[in-house]
Amino acid sequence: VTTTHAKLMLRALSGEITERPPFWLMRQAGRYLPEYRATRAEAGNFLDLCYNPKLAEEVTLQPLRRYGMDAAILFADILLIPDALGQPLDYLEGEGPVLDPIRSAKDLSALNLENIHTTLEPVYETVSRLSSSIPSECTLIGFAGAPWTVATYMVEGRGSKDYVNIKKWMYGDPVGFSTLIDIIVDATIAYLLKQVEAGAEVVQIFDTWAGVLPDNEFRKWVLGPTKRIVEGLRRHHPDLPVIGFPKGVGGNIISFVEETGVTAVSLDTGTPLDWAARNVQTKIPVQGNLDPILLVQGGEAMENRIIEIINRMSTAPFIFNLGHGIIPQTPPEHVGALSKLIRNGSTS
Ligand code: 1CP
C-alpha cells in the first residue's frame, strides 16, 4: 500500500507497514508525571482542567516533550458527555467520577441534547490550539467514550464491579434503555464532528466495559451504536480514521472489526498476539497491547515483551500502545526507556 501521508501514525492507519511502529500510550498525560500534578493543582479540580483550553493543551503536550510520541491525544474525559447533557458530575479525590444516577426511562427527561456544545466549546478550543502547537510529525487524536461505557457511569453513578443497575434496566426495559443509548450516540457524533472540525485527525472510541456483556447484548449495545457513530462521522468525513477499543471482548472483536466500519482496533492486554495477527490484523491495522504493569516494572521484563510484540506484529500495519491506560505508579523513566527502544531499537 502506498499513501501520501508524511505522518507515521496516519501511514499505519492507512494500511502501510511502517519502518518502525508509530507509538502513543493510552492515558499518556496523567498523574505519573510531576508536571501534570502541578498543572492539575493549578487548575483546581479535574473538570476545571478539562474545560481550561490553555491548561488542557499544556497537559496534552507534556508527555510529547519528554518522549516524542507519534500521536497526541486530546486531554479531556469520556464523562464530559454526561456533564454536557446536564447530568451532575463530580470527581472525588482518590475515588474517581461520581454522578447523580439515571436509573430508568422516566429519568431521561433530565437530559438535554440541544445545548451540549455550550459546555463542550472549551474542548474544541483545546483541539484547535493543539492542532497548531503539536510537532509537525505528530498526529492529533480526538476521542469519546462509547455509548455503552458512558452509560455504565450514567446509570451506576460511579465505576462499578458488577453492573447490576445498568443490566437490570437493559434486560428489564430494553426499549427505554435504547433511548438512553440513542441520546449518547447522537451527542457523541456531534461532539466528535466538532473535534474533527477543530483539527483532530483521528478519533478513538473507548469502550472500556464492552467485555461485561453476553454476545447478544454486545451486538445490541456495542456493535450497533459504534457502527452508527462511525457512519455518522463518515457522512461528513468519508476518510476519517476511527480507532475502536472494545476492551475485554475476546472473540467478539472479530464481529466488531467486520461490522462497525472502524479503521483500526486497539487490543487489550489479554488478546493473544498470534491469534490477533491471524484473525484481526489480516483485516485492519491493530494497536496495542503491552501490559501497563510492565511499564511499572520496567527493565528486562518490559523490554523483552516490547521486542516480542514488535517482532510478532510488524509484518502487517501496527501501532504500538498499551493494552489499557498508564497507571499513576508508573516511573516516568520507564516510559523513556520504552520510547528509546521503539525509536532506536535499544534503550541507550
Ligand atoms: O487527575 C486526576 O486525578 C484524574 C484522573 C483522570 C485522567 C488523567 C481521569 C478521571 N480522566 C483522565 C483523562 C482521560 N480519561 C483521558 C486523557 C487523555 C490521555 O489518554 O492522556 C482519556 C482518554 C480518558 C478516558 C477515560 N475516562 C476512560 C476510557 C479509557 C480507560 O482508561 O479505560 C474511562 C473509563 C474514563 C473514566 C474515568 N475518568 C477518570 C477516572 C479515574 C476514570 C475511571 C474510573 C473507573 O475506573 O471506573
Side-chain angles (χ1 to χ4, degrees):
V1 183
T2 54
T3 66
T4 51
H5 297 297
K7 299 183 182 187
L8 206 58
M9 176 78 181
L10 294 177
R11 285 169 55 205
L13 283 169
S14 72
E16 223 183 291
I17 299 169
T18 50
E19 51 281 17
R20 66 161 175 87
F23 83 102
W24 67 281
L25 304 171
M26 289 190 263
R27 294 280 181 101
Q28 63 192 25
R31 279 174 294 176
Y32 77 106
L33 290 177
E35 60 270 35
Y36 170 84
R37 297 195 296 271
T39 309
R40 176 143 160 21
E42 189 188 331
N45 64 41
F46 178 70
L47 269 183
D48 290 335
L49 176 55
C50 292
Y51 291 133
N52 181 321
K54 263 182 101 147
L55 297 185
E57 175 193 26
E58 165 59 23
V59 295
T60 305
L61 296 174
Q62 286 169 350
L64 308 180
R65 289 187 196 120
R66 278 183 184 246
Y67 310 116
M69 284 88 172
D70 298 293
I73 181 159
L74 162 70
F75 189 85
D77 194 70
I78 64 166
L79 300 180
L80 300 188
I81 287 291
D83 189 46
L85 287 169
Q87 185 177 16
L89 163 69
D90 204 357
Y91 289 84
L92 300 185
E93 220 49 62
E95 222 197 304
V98 182
L99 306 89
D100 288 356
I102 289 170
R103 290 279 158 85
S104 69
K106 67 177 179 353
D107 299 335
L108 292 173
S109 57
L111 303 179
N112 179 3
L113 249 173
E114 304 308 311
N115 292 325
I116 60 169
H117 298 314
T118 314
T119 305
L120 297 169
E121 193 56 48
V123 178
Y124 312 141
E125 193 189 328
T126 306
V127 174
S128 158
R129 298 174 74 104
L130 283 165
S131 72
S132 45
S133 58
I134 60 171
S136 59
E137 66 282 8
C138 185
T139 297
L140 183 56
I141 304 176
F143 77 93
W148 167 256
T149 288
V150 173
T152 65
Y153 292 93
M154 294 177 79
V155 178
E156 298 294 337
R158 53 182 65 223
S160 175
K161 281 197 169 63
D162 49 24
Y163 305 90
V164 171
N165 296 296
I166 189 169
K167 286 187 173 182
K168 282 192 63 169
W169 185 3
M170 168 187 97
Y171 287 127
D173 173 25
V175 174
F177 182 67
S178 73
T179 308
L180 172 62
I181 294 293
D182 290 349
I183 291 170
I184 305 171
V185 166
D186 289 347
T188 303
I189 293 170
Y191 180 49
L192 290 175
L193 283 175
K194 286 277 196 181
Q195 291 184 27
V196 171
E197 283 154 24
E201 301 169 275
V202 175
V203 298
Q204 175 153 325
I205 301 170
F206 288 86
D207 216 341
T208 307
W209 310 122
V212 304
L213 290 172
D215 67 352
N216 53 340
E217 304 294 334
F218 169 82
R219 184 159 283 287
K220 275 192 239 169
W221 311 117
V222 173
L223 284 190
T226 303
K227 180 170 195 250
R228 278 157 56 209
I229 292 172
V230 174
E231 286 170 355
L233 297 172
R234 296 260 170 78
R235 256 197 295 281
H236 300 268
H237 303 280
D239 301 323
L240 177 71
V242 180
I243 306 174
F245 179 39
K247 182 171 168 281
V249 301
N252 281 335
I253 198 171
I254 304 225
S255 51
F256 184 90
V257 162
E258 289 173 345
E259 295 178 37
T260 59
V262 294
T263 311
V265 71
S266 207
L267 306 177
D268 60 39
T269 293
T271 309
L273 293 181
D274 273 328
W275 180 87
R278 273 186 267 114
N279 297 294
V280 182
Q281 206 181 15
T282 44
K283 301 188 170 85
I284 59 173
V286 304
Q287 169 179 281
N289 76 341
L290 185 74
D291 186 349
I293 310 308
L294 276 173
L295 209 50
V296 179
Q297 176 66 21
E300 246 180 81
M302 174 183 84
E303 290 158 25
N304 290 341
R305 181 62 180 173
I306 292 171
I307 290 165
E308 191 168 39
I309 292 173
I310 293 175
N311 286 344
R312 182 63 192 89
M313 304 310 283
S314 292
T315 56
F318 181 61
I319 298 156
F320 192 94
N321 205 315
L322 304 177
H324 197 189
I326 295 187
I327 69 167
Q329 300 92 306
T330 304
E333 59 275 20
H334 293 174
V335 183
L338 174 150
S339 166
K340 285 194 184 124
L341 187 53
I342 293 175
R343 219 168 262 291
N344 317 326
S346 89
T347 56
S348 50

